[in-house]
Amino acid sequence: MLIAWAALAIYYSNLPFIALRLGLAVAFAVFAIWALWLSRRWWMSAIAIVLFFGVVAGWISIRPSHDRNWRPEVAVMPRAFIDGDRVRLTGVRNFDYRTRNDFTVRYEEREILLSHLTALDFYVSYFSTGPVGHTFLSFIFDNAPPLSISIETRPEVGEGFAPVASLFKQFELIYVVGDERDLVRVRTNYRREAVYLYRLNTSADDARRLLLVYLARINELADQPEFYHLLTNSCTINIVRYANAAGRVGRFNIRHLLNGLVDNYLYSSGRIDTTLPFDELRRRSLINEAALAADSAPDFSQRIRASLPTIPP
């Protein structure tokens, strides 16, 4: 396992040219296996161990940065300015999409009042069939549109998400703050992901505490970049971590990692409405058809919730 990790760390390192990285990764793995198991010279094992720690040192030396050629969807780091009950957010994404890759870039400022935060909604989005997806939250206000916050990788121009690469410091972390007509609609209408929406059984006070945890993290990231990590610093893992900080009581569950199953976990733990059988609830919580019909309508958020069984009109 250590040899495999080091070989992958070389392959996903900052060295130039993919052929060079691949060649060095293979050469290291072959040499380490030979030196540790096949060679009778003790000093060959010592060389392999030294090389391994050299790879570790090189990997540790890689630092996150805010200064890269970012894709426009993640080019602006949001920031929150908190003044008592009033919060001013900058870098709120509200793109106008024509196709998946053709859009008008628009970042806005938005002001919210914590006292008007009333509820919390949970999204699960599937970019492919399987036990893994993407989760994010929308904070619901009685005097303003919902505010979505999505914990994501921050890819550079020409990059796309790669799960294995995300384990080796290949993507910085960003909390995308945006309008639902952007963060939700781009997934349902343009990326054609299957998106499910659930209302969480959370009090307004708990939702406010959670939002304040989010806002603190948003400002920390704006000041100090971090790397995304699929297992320790990703969407669902951080949602659970911040829910714990806001007062959630519960233990780790494997469905926090296999987050395509997390709605089943929310149901079984009573964190979403359980008056319907889970399969029926899930079927009726798919919002793609409503999102396609609403498209860019000003009342997009109301229309995608209109027929949801767990959200009162």
Side-chain angles (χ1 to χ4, degrees):
M1 290 180 64
L2 293 175
I3 291 171
W5 179 89
L8 288 170
I10 294 170
Y11 178 75
Y12 289 112
S13 69
N14 292 336
L15 294 172
F17 312 120
I18 187 171
L20 174 63
R21 300 198 309 271
L22 178 60
L24 289 175
V26 172
F28 170 82
V30 170
F31 172 76
I33 291 171
W34 175 79
L36 293 171
W37 280 285
L38 301 178
S39 175
R40 297 183 179 181
R41 299 180 178 90
W42 67 268
W43 49 271
M44 284 295 182
S45 296
I47 291 174
I49 293 171
V50 169
L51 288 174
F52 171 79
F53 282 106
V55 173
V56 172
W59 184 79
I60 291 173
S61 70
I62 299 173
R63 292 287 181 262
S65 173
H66 281 323
D67 186 19
R68 303 193 195 278
N69 185 25
W70 306 114
R71 284 170 47 173
E73 305 97 310
V74 293
V76 176
M77 292 292 289
R79 186 179 284 277
F81 300 88
I82 304 171
D83 182 15
D85 186 51
R86 192 177 304 273
V87 178
R88 181 171 62 89
L89 291 151
T90 62
V92 177
R93 206 177 81 185
N94 192 10
F95 287 14
D96 182 19
Y97 292 87
R98 291 170 290 276
T99 69
R100 177 173 181 162
N101 298 308
D102 179 21
F103 45 76
T104 299
V105 174
R106 183 167 60 239
Y107 287 97
E108 303 173 340
E109 288 194 10
R110 182 174 294 189
E111 193 170 275
I112 58 174
L113 297 174
L114 295 174
S115 59
H116 286 266
L117 174 57
T118 60
L120 187 60
D121 285 351
F122 191 96
Y123 284 94
V124 188
S125 183
Y126 298 85
F127 37 83
S128 63
T129 303
V132 177
H134 176 65
T135 59
F136 60 101
L137 301 179
S138 273
F139 294 85
I140 311 303
F141 298 85
D142 61 12
N143 67 339
L147 182 74
S148 288
I149 305 181
S150 177
I151 302 170
E152 303 181 11
T153 61
R154 197 181 187 192
E156 299 175 54
V157 172
E159 284 185 338
F161 178 64
V164 177
S166 75
L167 301 172
F168 293 93
K169 297 186 175 182
Q170 290 302 293
F171 302 105
E172 273 80 3
L173 181 71
I174 186 171
Y175 285 44
V176 180
V177 181
D179 192 280
E180 287 190 326
R181 282 181 297 177
D182 179 336
L183 269 66
V184 176
R185 187 164 64 105
V186 70
R187 290 176 165 82
T188 54
N189 296 22
Y190 298 102
R191 298 179 187 171
R192 302 297 180 176
E193 299 176 7
V195 180
Y196 296 81
L197 172 56
Y198 304 95
R199 173 63 50 88
L200 293 174
N201 294 332
T202 302
S203 70
D205 287 340
D206 286 344
R208 292 182 194 112
R209 280 193 290 269
L210 181 60
L211 178 56
L212 287 171
V213 174
Y214 263 79
L215 297 179
R217 286 291 289 134
I218 285 168
N219 287 341
E220 286 176 4
L221 279 179
D223 294 330
Q224 181 63 48
E226 294 179 16
F227 283 115
Y228 177 99
H229 191 284
L230 183 66
L231 302 180
T232 62
N233 204 11
S234 57
C235 56
T236 310
I237 291 297
N238 279 336
I239 290 174
V240 174
R241 180 177 291 134
Y242 303 150
N244 291 342
R248 169 189 174 270
V249 177
R251 295 179 296 178
F252 171 79
N253 188 283
I254 190 61
R255 288 169 289 186
H256 299 159
L257 287 177
L258 300 177
N259 58 2
L261 308 174
V262 73
D263 51 356
N264 181 274
Y265 164 77
L266 294 172
Y267 184 89
S268 63
S269 60
R271 288 180 168 84
I272 57 178
D273 191 278
T274 57
T275 55
L276 291 173
F278 174 71
D279 289 343
E280 175 70 9
L281 172 66
R282 193 171 196 271
R283 182 185 66 80
R284 293 174 59 180
S285 297
L286 182 67
I287 63 168
N288 288 66
E289 185 176 338
L292 286 167
D295 197 32
S296 60
D299 60 346
F300 176 87
S301 293
Q302 290 82 1
R303 291 174 66 173
I304 63 174
R305 290 173 171 81
S307 62
L308 293 179
T310 61
I311 298 180

